Amino acid sequence: MKKTIFYTFGIAVLVGGLAALWGIVAFKGNAVVEPAELWISKRTDYPTLVDSLMPRIKHHGAFDLYAKRLDLERTFKPGHYELREGMNVIEVVRMLKLGLQTPVRVTINNVKIPAHLAGKLARQIDADSVEILSALTSKELAREVGFDSVTLFSMLLPDTYEFYWTVEPADWVRRMRKEYDRFWSEERDQKRKRSGLSRLEVMTLASIVYEETRKADEMPRVAGVYINRLKKGMPLQADPTIKYAMQDFGLRRILHKHLKTPSPYNTYLNKGLPPSPICMPGREAIEAVLNFEKHDYLYFCARPTFDGYHNFAKSYSDHLKNARAYSAELNRRKIK
């Protein structure tokens, strides 16, 4: 009888010890063997979360027990998570419950209209392009951040930013207002006053310069041409504004008939700058406007060498010579 009790006790101790060991290993042991990313959308349900997570961790039974204890099924937070090598089940469950996301890098550049930006952002945050475009064109949100629905685009600066993947589009816009305020330092505002342009006008002119040339070393000279034309009351006659007015960004050659396109963005028909930027200009173009080159040029035309640079002229007669040379080369290459 005593031996039976002794053996039973021993077995109980052994089982308890093994259970305790299992608990230590399963709950606090290494559950993540290799680093991995986990993307949990706002539209993801719990079974889908579990299906995504299970191939990336060990100790599934311990996960189920601890997840149930913390009611993870009802309380998990969507987001972009990094599963770090060596994390245990407790850390993984708490990370999902508390929403301890890892930010993502969001890049915005080289877009021409809000719809293009919405499509680009939809590939980088957990929102669809319709939601994003609604925020970018919202009159109420634009007014909240100090713009209107037409000029809001001028607030957006090309760069790479860190956001949480689940950021709401409206909060994304609010954050970009902070980045805008950070960009417009006292030093930049002093440079802006040299040109006599408002912040909106700087961004609008920078967008034209950016569309005219991608040669950073030439941008200040191109900006100087447009500043000279503005000061003289001459129409800007910027070809990129015709493409924007027509919403035909693949147009390779601007013809006389295109110049008659009715639009406030047509700088052949309207003097002064367009109502808002015609694209999101690169920062080098913005800096080029702020640091525009002082000279007497009033015209420029692409070189017939097609090297991306331009020939500049002070008189219309010289400009016509440059334009004829370029036009002849277009014809020779059969570009229509």
Side-chain angles (χ1 to χ4, degrees):
M1 184 67 178
K2 289 183 179 180
K3 286 184 179 181
T4 301
I5 294 173
F6 176 78
Y7 288 136
T8 303
F9 178 75
I11 291 171
V13 170
L14 179 60
V15 171
L18 290 173
L21 180 62
W22 176 85
I24 293 171
V25 172
F27 285 94
K28 295 192 176 181
N30 182 1
V32 180
V33 179
E34 295 180 352
E37 291 183 294
L38 192 64
W39 303 85
I40 307 300
S41 170
K42 288 173 281 190
R43 295 168 290 281
T44 300
D45 59 18
Y46 186 69
T48 304
L49 182 158
V50 173
D51 286 345
S52 299
L53 181 62
M54 289 302 103
R56 295 172 169 81
I57 66 169
K58 301 189 301 181
H59 310 311
H60 297 175
F63 174 87
D64 290 339
L65 287 172
Y66 196 64
K68 187 174 183 179
R69 178 181 172 186
L70 294 190
D71 196 17
L72 189 65
E73 183 174 358
R74 293 194 311 107
T75 60
F76 75 90
K77 305 293 192 301
H80 165 245
Y81 297 98
E82 285 189 358
L83 298 171
R84 301 180 303 278
E85 185 177 350
M87 290 181 74
N88 60 44
V89 161
I90 293 174
E91 291 171 326
V92 171
V93 173
R94 287 180 175 174
M95 178 178 70
L96 296 172
K97 181 178 177 65
L98 298 175
L100 303 178
Q101 291 192 59
T102 298
V104 295
R105 293 171 66 79
V106 175
T107 299
I108 57 169
N109 58 22
N110 200 27
V111 294
K112 300 184 187 301
I113 56 176
H116 293 169
L117 177 57
K120 198 163 193 171
L121 277 177
R123 296 189 290 271
Q124 301 181 76
I125 64 174
D126 185 30
D128 64 38
S129 58
V130 175
E131 291 178 89
I132 297 169
L133 185 59
S134 178
L136 292 174
T137 55
S138 166
K139 293 181 180 179
E140 294 75 15
L141 183 58
R143 188 161 48 246
E144 178 188 328
V145 296
F147 290 83
D148 60 45
S149 56
V150 174
T151 61
L152 179 66
F153 202 64
S154 71
M155 184 187 79
L156 308 176
L157 296 160
D159 210 333
T160 298
Y161 304 92
E162 281 197 347
F163 283 92
Y164 285 123
W165 184 57
T166 51
V167 63
E168 293 293 337
D171 289 333
W172 185 89
V173 171
R174 295 182 183 104
R175 160 75 183 282
M176 295 310 296
R177 171 68 208 213
K178 293 179 181 178
E179 296 295 339
Y180 175 85
D181 290 338
R182 188 175 293 114
F183 174 82
W184 281 106
S185 62
E186 185 176 344
E187 179 184 359
R188 285 196 175 98
D189 260 330
Q190 287 301 318
K191 290 181 178 180
R192 175 184 62 77
K193 291 174 184 176
R194 167 176 167 257
S195 68
L197 301 177
S198 67
R199 290 180 178 181
L200 169 61
E201 290 170 332
V202 167
M203 298 299 290
T204 301
L205 181 53
S207 72
I208 295 174
V209 170
Y210 187 68
E211 288 294 285
E212 289 283 16
T213 180
R214 295 300 166 90
K215 302 294 185 182
D217 57 336
E218 189 183 61
M219 287 180 178
R221 179 165 292 187
V222 172
V225 170
Y226 285 126
I227 294 290
N228 288 344
R229 293 181 76 90
L230 285 170
K231 288 181 176 178
K232 288 181 177 291
M234 299 172 65
L236 296 185
Q237 297 183 329
D239 286 357
T241 65
I242 302 301
K243 294 182 182 181
Y244 189 89
M246 297 176 64
Q247 293 290 285
D248 185 353
F249 302 111
L251 193 64
R252 299 184 67 190
R253 188 169 184 175
I254 304 297
L255 302 177
H256 184 70
K257 64 180 180 179
H258 299 142
L259 306 183
K260 299 178 181 180
T261 303
S263 168
Y265 289 88
N266 184 336
T267 56
Y268 280 81
L269 295 180
N270 306 288
K271 288 186 178 181
L273 287 160
S276 65
I278 61 171
C279 72
M280 182 182 292
R283 292 208 178 204
E284 66 273 22
I286 302 170
E287 296 294 349
V289 172
L290 295 174
N291 297 284
F292 70 92
E293 183 180 312
K294 285 191 173 182
H295 52 60
D296 296 325
Y297 294 124
L298 290 172
Y299 308 92
F300 63 94
C301 178
R303 290 180 184 176
T305 51
F306 280 70
D307 59 358
Y309 285 95
H310 296 78
N311 287 322
F312 293 80
K314 297 177 183 179
S315 69
Y316 186 60
S317 59
D318 285 344
H319 173 62
L320 284 179
K321 294 176 185 177
N322 294 333
R324 281 194 289 267
Y326 180 66
S327 181
E329 184 61 20
L330 286 175
N331 291 333
R332 191 185 73 79
R333 298 190 184 203
K334 298 180 180 179
I335 296 176
K336 298 180 179 181

